[in-house]
Amino acid sequence: MHYEKILLNEKRNVNLTILIQDVDGEFQKLKKRPAVLVLPGGAYAMCSDREAEPVAFAYAKAGYQTFILRYSVGEHNAWPNPLNDYENAMEMIRSKTDEWHVYEDKIAVIGFSAGGHLAGCAATISKNRPNAAILGYAALSKEFWDSFKPAGLQLPSPIQEVDNKTCPCFLFAARDDLMVPVSETLKFEMALSEHNISFESHIYAYGSHGFSIGESYLIGGSICSRLPHWVQDSIDWLKDVFGDFGEGEMTNPTCAPKVIGDEEDYLSIDCTINHLKTQGAEALSVLEPIFEQLNRIVDGYKNNGVDINPLFKYFRLRDILEALKIPKDEIVKIQEKLSHISNIKS
């Protein structure tokens, strides 16, 4: 592993720590690796070491290239300094994807507390948006920061900035967090849901604030036994979003960025049935055998006095294929054919 600390801004003491693992050779299955950029917390007064290397090592163990950004804090924390630091770091990572063996389109950002706020801003308002975001006990609302007088900061609210370009998100927090209320996470969840963005969320019964990866040497109080599971859960979630390590390439993702794909540029099995029925002849030729099976089922319900057609504005093709027990390899083929057909948007 190559370990190096790169100074990004000498005046503000901003630096990027890189932990780069080899590919090829003993790692013959790997040509590149996905990556995680860690943003420690610390109320924009400091960057917590407990939420830096220990976090990066957890993702390195899972095979990721890992980076830690110690951004502008303390006397240099005025916005948008921290966001500019993130932009510079992500731009550097994406400019060196060949040298650092990173997939350019498989870079996640993970932030804790104030670092979670910065990660939320990266996901919603940055120029160099990540491909996925993991937010731990994050402070995400303008109301929170307005009430946090010691910081004296005027910060944007990621909750209000969620849009249809926001990347998939993984959220976690503890219900008894008295420093950053769990409502910050819940409000962000609702914003993601309203914009059709894929997300996964874990709210643990207790664990307070600042529990990092949940290891006993990092925490002062008690945590519930399930809380450390967020680390492996987030790694498994990234496999769903980015794909897993395959033979020289990553496997196909199993979780789409949007829950419903009706507004994407190309068709997919995550489009609703009603939407797919409005597409052109090329799409209908791919789906005709499926629609024939579906029509027989619909007719069966109609014969019993039930019309299930209205439900097709909610049901995705993915749901129907699974209900019909279509083999997985056939589903992959259907997705591949649809992914090359432009979406006729309503």
Side-chain angles (χ1 to χ4, degrees), residues 33 43 54 63 105 112 153 158 204 225:
R33 297 172 184 263
D105 61 346
F112 302 81
L153 295 171
Y204 296 97
S225 61

Side-chain angles (χ1 to χ4, degrees), residues 12 77-85:
R12 301 202 302 265
N77 67 6
W79 198 262
N81 282 349
L83 183 61
N84 289 339
D85 298 335

Side-chain angles (χ1 to χ4, degrees), residues 42-45 77 113-114 139 141-155 178-181 209:
Y44 287 115
N77 67 6
S113 193
S141 72
K142 185 177 185 300
E143 292 78 11
F144 173 86
W145 288 106
D146 285 348
S147 67
F148 196 64
K149 300 300 183 185
L153 295 171
Q154 297 295 317
L155 299 174
L178 301 180
M179 183 169 290
V180 176
H209 187 78

Side-chain angles (χ1 to χ4, degrees), residues 94 101 107 112 131 188 205 215 259 278 309-310 318-319 335 339:
R94 287 202 166 120
H101 315 302
I107 305 174
F112 302 81
N131 306 106
F188 196 72
E215 295 288 348
V259 178
T278 68
N309 276 303
R318 178 191 298 273
D319 305 321
Q335 169 61 24
S339 68

